[in-house]
């Protein structure tokens, strides 16, 4: 039989489950795999979905399953998209609704994997949620057939539609023949009164295509928000495709010629998460970076109109009390937890995704995830995380091998720090004004190396950091500045921003600003190399650390490749094989 959920129209019979791998055929009917359910349900703020013009600061229950009809390079939720079952225990729609009511959520929202892969499950959830007065929405690639969309549009209140690009070429790279159904469906949803916001991936080289997206959205309505997702190579995609934050900000300025509301994500410190009046340019709502593809209001957005008389189209009222997620919960951060487990398993020599799935089953409850969140923030505690994963994977000996490698280097740096201390350090992510939280691993690596982290003075919490003023940096006058290896910014852009903001610290004057190599300071066992990198920069010529040798030993022992042949990416999983040399490309 032919599936009619999305435009692929897969033939599904007793031997085939379609592209999503989540549907089965019984007699003359296609149904959801009976074993399918929701793998997780966590309360989140609406801005982490992200939606910015819908019930600002509202608390919603985020749910996700498995399966996707697209096959995109660099997918942030690759395992969820694969359609493989990640848990023996799942939630039914009625259980999800019960959780939403118990936790005082305004509604439920399906994210992370594609709801087209769980259409019948999501439809049942929507019906039951609406019966209880809950709002319903999803993040989707919106490749539904027109017939399915007309039915779904009667059940949902809001959607964030992820657009791959305007050209068919941008969709072909995801195994999809054409972009036309997506723009058709956005128009249909808008006409049906569904609140629609759009997101588009911007990778270096597709600027013209992103502009065409804005033009096409404007043809439907210039009031539909366009969220620009700066491409981050979390998967195997080459790091050269990642545009700088500055490049992304420049593109957003071009998009404002077509649509009224343009936002930039995956870019710590940018001001383009804010809402500005399209008529006079006044600041109307202020937000800050809040993890992958997320944002957080700096203060409640109460008034949706500008002093000039322009009204911003916002549905719903602002929540009285803002909800803050903890640990890995909220938006796409759960995918980072997958990546951290994957990173350890890879170093243990486990490359089979099914083994990752087995381990994930045992640690995916919210209580264990919270413990993991704390384990990964301190050097010695991280060893307990490795031991936990190795035990769950039944690879204790290999786990102790990794622990031994890390522990030996920890003792080396500890001895070095005992003889050298007092060097003031500032650690930021993406922008000079976006400071990493005091308790994060990166700042703990600085402290472990004997440095004095000025970030430790910051009391305000955020994910993964907060905006600070130039005066905070100048008054503390750090000797060295490190830029995160997770979300970075080229040094030429960084120094330009320092001049623009009036940052005149010793670190800037003496050009002691360093980009930590990608994924070397957080999220995977390579942080031990990041620790040695930090120590080497704090005590140049006095550390006794041969970083090239240490990196080569680690890569050969735990990735099976020489360091010189490794091509970096932002993935916690592993580098890919290539010829790009990290250290020589990251010196000031």
């Amino acid at each position: 039989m032919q599936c009619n959920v999305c435009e692929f129209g897969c033939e599904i019979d007793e031997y085939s489950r379609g592209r999503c791998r989540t549907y089965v055929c019984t007699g003359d009917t296609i149904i959801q795999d009976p074993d399918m359910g929701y793998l997780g349900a966590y309360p989140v703020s609406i801005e982490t979905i992200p939606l910015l013009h819908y019930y600002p600061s509202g608390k919603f229950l985020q749910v996700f399953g498995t399966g996707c009809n697209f096959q995109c390079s660099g997918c942030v939720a690759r395992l969820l998209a694969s359609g493989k079952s990640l848990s023996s225990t799942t939630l039914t729609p009625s259980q999800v609704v019960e959780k939403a009511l118990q936790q005082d959520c305004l509604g439920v929202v399906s994210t992370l994997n594609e709801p087209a892969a769980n259409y019948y499950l999501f439809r049942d959830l929507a019906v039951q949620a609406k019966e209880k007065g809950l709002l319903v929405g999803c993040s989707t690639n919106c490749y539904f057939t027109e017939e399915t969309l007309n039915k779904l549009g009667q059940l949902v209140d809001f959607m964030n539609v992820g657009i791959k690009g305007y050209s068919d070429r941008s969709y072909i790279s995801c195994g999809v023949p054409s972009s036309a159904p997506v723009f058709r469906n956005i128009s249909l949803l808008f006409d049906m009164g569904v609140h629609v916001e759009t997101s588009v991936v911007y990778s270096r080289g597709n600027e013209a295509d992103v502009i065409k997206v804005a033009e096409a959205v404007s043809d439907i309505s210039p009031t539909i928000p366009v969220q620009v997702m700066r491409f981050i190579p979390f998967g195997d995609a080459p790091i050269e495709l990642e545009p700088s934050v500055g490049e992304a900000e420049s593109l957003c300025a071009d998009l404002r010629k077509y649509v009224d509301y343009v936002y930039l994500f995956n870019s710590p410190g940018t001001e383009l998460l804010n809402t500005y009046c399209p008529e006079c340019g006044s600041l109307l709502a202020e937000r800050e970076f809040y993890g992958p593809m997320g944002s957080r209001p700096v203060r409640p957005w109460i008034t949706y109109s500008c002093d000039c008389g322009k009204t911003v189209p916002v549905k719903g009222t602002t929540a009285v009390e803002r909800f803050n997620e903890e640990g890995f919960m909220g938006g796409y951060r759960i995918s980072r937890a997958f990546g951290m487990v994957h990173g350890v398993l890879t170093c243990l020599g486990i490359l089979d995704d099914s083994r990752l799935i087995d381990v994930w089953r045992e640690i995916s409850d919210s209580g264990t995830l919270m413990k993991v969140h704390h384990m990964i923030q301190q050097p010695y505690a991280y060893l307990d995380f490795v031991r936990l994963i190795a035990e769950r994977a039944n690879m204790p000996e290999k786990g102790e091998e990794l622990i031994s490698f890390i522990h030996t280097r920890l003792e080396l740096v500890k001895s070095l720090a005992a003889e050298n201390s007092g060097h003031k350090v500032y650690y930021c992510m993406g922008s000079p004004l976006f400071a990493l939280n005091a308790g994060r691993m990166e700042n703990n690596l600085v402290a472990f190396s004997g440095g004095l982290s000025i970030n430790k003075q910051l009391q305000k919490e955020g994910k993964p950091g907060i905006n600070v003023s130039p005066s905070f940096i100048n008054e503390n006058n750090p000797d060295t500045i490190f830029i995160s290896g997770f979300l970075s910014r080229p040094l030429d852009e960084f120094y330009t921003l320092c001049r623009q903001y009036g940052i005149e610290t010793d670190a800037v004057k003496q050009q002691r600003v360093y980009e930590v190599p990608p994924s070397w300071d957080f999220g995977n066992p390579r942080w031990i190399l990041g620790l040695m990198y930090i120590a080497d920069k704090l005590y140049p010529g006095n550390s006794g650390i041969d970083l090239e040798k240490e990196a080569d030993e680690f890569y050969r022992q735990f990735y099976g490749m020489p360091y010189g042949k490794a091509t970096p990416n932002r993935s916690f999983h592993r580098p890919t094989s290539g010829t790009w040399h990290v250290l020589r490309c990251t010196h000031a």
Side-chain angles (χ1 to χ4, degrees):
M1 288 190 65
Q2 186 177 49
C3 177
N4 192 44
V5 171
C6 84
E7 289 287 338
F8 281 107
C10 296
E11 290 291 334
I12 297 178
D13 56 29
E14 59 181 314
Y15 305 108
S16 172
R17 297 167 65 91
R19 288 174 63 94
C20 300
R21 301 174 64 183
T22 58
Y23 294 111
V24 296
C25 186
T26 60
D28 60 353
T29 304
I30 293 175
I31 64 171
Q32 198 84 59
D33 182 338
D35 293 331
M36 291 293 297
Y38 287 109
L39 303 179
Y42 307 110
V44 299
S45 57
I46 193 71
E47 287 84 3
T48 64
I49 298 304
L51 281 100
L52 303 184
H53 288 218
Y54 193 78
Y55 285 85
S57 301
K59 180 181 177 183
F60 285 74
L61 192 70
Q62 174 191 27
V63 298
F64 57 90
T66 62
C68 185
N69 51 354
F70 281 24
Q71 298 159 355
C72 305
S73 174
C75 176
V76 298
R78 181 180 65 84
L79 281 175
L80 290 175
S82 71
K84 298 175 182 178
S85 175
L86 298 179
S87 175
S88 57
T89 303
T90 57
L91 297 169
T92 65
S94 60
Q95 289 172 323
V96 169
V97 170
E98 183 179 355
K99 275 182 170 285
L101 294 172
Q102 288 175 346
Q103 300 187 55
D104 296 322
C105 296
L106 293 174
V108 295
V109 54
S110 173
T111 67
L112 292 177
N113 80 299
E114 172 52 43
N118 310 136
Y119 171 67
Y120 300 109
L121 183 69
F122 182 56
R123 183 189 63 185
D124 292 346
L125 172 61
V127 169
Q128 293 184 42
K130 301 292 280 187
E131 289 175 350
K132 296 295 185 179
L134 295 170
L135 298 166
V136 178
C138 63
S139 294
T140 174
N141 59 43
C142 215
Y143 213 63
F144 299 103
T145 62
E146 188 170 350
E147 178 184 346
T148 297
L149 190 79
N150 283 327
K151 295 176 182 176
L152 188 60
Q154 304 298 323
L155 296 173
V156 298
D157 301 286
F158 60 93
M159 281 193 186
N160 183 319
V161 178
I163 303 173
K164 305 305 175 184
Y166 181 79
S167 68
D168 288 345
R169 179 175 54 83
S170 63
Y171 274 80
I172 289 171
S173 65
C174 294
V176 184
S178 171
S179 66
V182 176
F183 292 99
R184 176 202 69 201
N185 288 345
I186 293 172
S187 181
L188 288 171
L189 288 167
F190 185 80
D191 290 342
M192 295 171 73
V194 175
H195 178 79
V196 180
E197 300 190 24
T198 61
S199 61
V200 58
V201 175
Y202 165 42
S203 57
R204 182 174 285 131
N206 79 331
E207 292 84 358
D209 204 50
V210 174
I211 290 173
K212 291 290 290 182
V213 167
E215 291 179 350
V217 170
S218 180
D219 288 342
I220 300 169
S221 173
T223 65
I224 296 176
V226 173
Q227 304 167 357
V228 176
M229 298 294 171
R230 186 173 69 94
F231 180 73
I232 308 296
F234 288 134
D236 293 332
I239 203 166
E240 290 80 7
L241 291 178
E242 178 184 335
S244 71
V245 176
E247 289 170 330
E249 290 173 332
S250 177
L251 178 61
C252 287
D254 292 335
L255 300 186
R256 289 183 185 276
K257 301 172 185 176
Y258 305 98
V259 289
D260 293 342
Y261 307 101
V262 179
Y263 300 100
L264 176 60
F265 286 79
N266 289 337
S267 305
T270 185
E271 295 180 350
L272 298 187
L273 282 173
N274 301 334
T275 299
Y276 297 94
C277 176
E279 293 292 336
C280 69
S282 296
L283 175 65
L284 301 179
E286 189 176 0
R287 305 179 187 88
E288 61 186 2
F289 175 80
Y290 202 57
M293 293 188 244
S295 68
R296 180 176 73 166
V298 173
R299 58 184 60 86
W301 186 14
I302 302 298
T303 303
Y304 308 143
S305 59
C306 181
D307 290 342
C308 74
K310 178 70 174 180
T311 298
V312 180
V314 176
K315 284 192 178 180
T317 56
T318 298
V320 175
E321 184 175 345
R322 183 177 66 196
F323 176 73
N324 291 324
E325 304 90 340
E326 296 182 351
F328 290 115
M329 304 302 104
Y332 288 78
R333 283 187 293 277
I334 194 72
S335 65
R336 298 301 91 216
F338 279 114
M340 291 176 190
V341 175
H342 206 180
V344 172
L345 290 177
T346 298
C347 290
L348 301 184
I350 299 174
L351 306 181
D352 183 359
D353 284 350
S354 64
R355 295 288 297 279
L356 169 60
I357 292 167
D358 290 339
V359 172
W360 180 258
R361 284 195 186 105
E362 298 192 36
I363 68 162
S364 59
D365 64 279
S366 58
T368 304
L369 283 179
M370 185 56 68
K371 291 178 182 177
V372 167
H373 174 71
H374 292 299
M375 285 179 181
I376 63 171
Q377 306 299 346
Q378 293 284 352
Y380 283 117
Y382 188 93
L383 303 184
D384 294 328
F385 172 56
V386 172
R387 190 168 284 115
L388 171 69
I389 300 304
E391 289 174 352
R392 296 295 191 273
N394 197 27
M395 297 282 286
E397 292 182 2
K398 194 68 176 179
E400 291 304 319
E401 181 182 331
L402 177 58
I403 288 170
S404 176
F405 184 99
I406 295 174
H407 189 268
T408 299
R409 276 76 185 171
L410 284 176
E411 294 302 302
L412 170 67
V413 175
K414 185 178 180 181
S415 298
L416 180 65
E419 301 173 3
N420 303 271
S421 61
H423 198 100
K424 288 199 291 187
V425 176
Y426 175 56
Y427 221 122
C428 59
M429 180 181 282
S431 164
L433 300 184
F434 191 83
L436 286 172
N437 276 342
R440 276 183 66 98
M441 175 65 120
E442 296 92 332
N443 289 313
N444 292 330
L445 295 182
V446 168
F448 194 92
S449 301
L452 294 176
S453 170
I454 69 171
N455 300 57
K456 295 289 186 180
Q457 300 177 39
L458 299 169
Q459 299 301 313
K460 183 181 174 185
E461 288 295 321
K463 290 179 182 290
I466 57 171
N467 292 331
V468 297
S469 66
S471 61
F472 169 79
I473 303 171
N474 284 331
E475 289 169 6
N476 285 283
N477 192 25
D479 304 297
T480 299
I481 295 175
F482 290 111
I483 309 174
S484 163
F486 179 46
L487 294 177
S488 190
R489 187 189 284 258
L491 288 178
D492 57 344
E493 280 190 15
F494 192 92
Y495 281 116
T496 297
L497 284 177
C498 287
R499 289 192 293 270
Q500 178 182 323
Y501 296 140
I503 298 173
E504 300 176 337
T505 67
D506 288 345
V508 174
K509 292 176 182 177
Q510 298 169 16
Q511 293 199 324
R512 290 183 52 83
V513 178
Y514 304 102
E515 293 178 81
V516 178
S519 295
W520 268 30
D521 53 358
F522 181 74
N524 70 88
R526 273 169 280 167
W527 65 260
I528 189 60
L529 300 177
L531 174 67
M532 290 187 283
Y533 178 92
I534 290 169
D536 189 54
K537 295 303 181 188
L538 293 186
Y539 317 115
N542 192 37
S543 72
I545 296 173
D546 186 338
L547 200 52
E548 297 271 351
K549 178 176 176 294
E550 294 288 352
D552 191 63
E553 185 174 346
F554 184 94
Y555 277 57
R556 287 179 184 275
Q557 186 170 346
F558 299 109
Y559 294 136
M561 68 176 77
Y563 171 64
K565 295 293 184 181
T567 299
N569 55 23
R570 304 290 181 196
S571 173
F572 294 163
H573 175 206
R574 61 178 289 150
T576 53
S577 188
T579 57
W580 195 89
H581 209 295
V582 179
L583 295 180
R584 292 172 185 165
C585 290
T586 55
H587 285 170

